[in-house]
């Protein structure tokens, strides 16, 4: 169930309306869930079988889906505008309604790489590398972290403060392994994202 502000599709009901009372997320009805987390404007859940579902705002790549801002950052890193911590660049309700899963063209819908998803208003199944099974999830303001069975940590989304843990401050719309824990033979047991930072509990292997 989800309720509250829905202007970025973060409730998972297929629209951007607010909900004043708990409403079942129909797209996940019948699936046994083990984990759920909510960021500022996105949500993530993991099923008992380890499948990962994401929905809501994808402006910084926090859903792990293609986003224009990450594409532009890689192409023009010196010109990429920093997003404010307060979310001043969040779209207006009218903009949101026009960008729910917007395909740029028919060509894009047929497989062009320039398909960018601004808002995913329904839960979408996200595949991690190596068909990994997820055991823990957490959301920051605009980044996401998950632990897979076996103790590896993946992060993606907004990286301006280094909160992704990849040794740089780039944002990413692709789930990436945090190599630090592998290199130091640490198994990650738990993860908690703050708005602009990430905490983990890890054990020496």
């Amino acid at each position: 169930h989800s309720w509250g502000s829905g202007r970025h599709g973060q409730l998972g009901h297929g629209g951007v309306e607010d909900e004043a009372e708990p409403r079942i997320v129909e797209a996940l009805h019948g699936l046994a869930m083990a984990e759920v987390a909510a960021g500022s404007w996105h949500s993530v859940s993991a099923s008992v079988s380890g499948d990962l579902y994401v929905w809501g705002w994808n402006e910084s790549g926090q859903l792990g889906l293609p986003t224009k801002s990450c594409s532009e950052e890689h192409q023009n890193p010196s010109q990429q505008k920093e997003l404010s911590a307060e979310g001043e660049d969040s779209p207006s309700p009218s903009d949101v309604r026009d960008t729910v899963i917007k395909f740029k063209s028919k060509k894009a819908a047929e497989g062009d790489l320039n398909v960018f998803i601004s808002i995913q208003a329904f839960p979408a199944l996200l595949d991690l590398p190596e068909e990994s099974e997820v055991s823990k999830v957490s959301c920051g303001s605009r980044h996401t972290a998950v632990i897979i069975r076996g103790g590896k940590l993946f992060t993606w989304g907004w990286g301006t403060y280094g909160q992704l843990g990849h040794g740089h401050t780039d944002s990413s719309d692709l789930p990436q392994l945090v190599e630090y824990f592998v290199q130091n033979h640490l198994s990650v047991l738990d993860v908690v994202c703050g708005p602009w930072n990430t905490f983990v509990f890890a054990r020496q292997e």
Side-chain angles (χ1 to χ4, degrees):
H1 293 74
S2 64
W3 62 98
S5 173
R7 65 176 295 186
H8 297 86
Q10 66 265 47
L11 299 183
H13 302 308
V16 292
E17 293 78 23
D18 297 344
E19 295 288 342
E21 60 182 14
R23 177 182 170 187
I24 193 166
V25 181
E26 295 286 351
L28 300 177
H29 187 53
L31 295 174
M33 291 293 151
E35 289 276 316
V36 64
S40 290
W41 301 298
H42 74 293
S43 305
V44 177
S45 68
S47 69
V48 170
S49 61
D51 290 330
L52 183 66
Y53 296 88
V54 297
W55 63 96
W57 199 29
N58 191 47
E59 195 282 337
S60 298
Q62 59 262 54
L63 300 186
L65 302 174
T67 184
K68 187 176 181 180
S69 64
C70 287
S71 176
E72 291 175 343
E73 181 174 327
H74 293 314
Q75 292 174 6
N76 301 295
S78 64
Q79 297 177 9
Q80 176 69 10
K81 183 179 71 172
E82 286 192 6
L83 296 174
S84 70
E86 294 75 25
E88 293 176 359
D89 292 321
S90 63
S92 68
S94 60
D95 291 335
V96 169
R97 296 176 192 278
D98 292 336
T99 57
V100 175
I101 315 181
K102 179 192 286 185
F103 290 102
K104 294 177 69 179
S105 64
K106 182 178 179 181
K107 179 181 178 182
E110 292 173 350
D112 185 14
L113 293 178
N114 292 324
V115 176
F116 301 121
I117 297 177
S118 175
I119 286 180
Q120 175 69 40
F122 283 107
L125 178 64
L126 183 65
D127 292 326
L128 293 179
E130 304 173 9
E131 299 182 356
S132 306
E133 295 181 353
V134 174
S135 60
K136 285 280 188 180
V137 301
S138 187
C139 295
S141 174
R142 281 176 280 180
H143 74 288
T144 304
V146 305
I147 302 172
I148 64 170
R149 291 169 187 169
K152 293 181 179 179
L153 179 71
F154 285 81
T155 61
W156 60 94
W158 192 33
T160 298
Y161 297 109
Q163 60 264 56
L164 301 185
H166 302 307
H168 53 71
T169 57
D170 294 340
S171 298
S172 174
D173 56 9
L174 291 173
Q176 295 185 38
L177 175 68
V178 180
E179 297 283 355
Y180 172 89
F181 298 103
V182 176
Q183 294 169 355
N184 289 276
H185 307 289
L186 293 167
S187 178
V188 180
L189 303 180
D190 201 2
V191 60
V192 177
C193 294
W196 314 300
N197 48 17
T198 307
F199 301 85
V200 302
F201 173 59
R203 181 175 58 195
Q204 196 76 41
E205 293 180 335

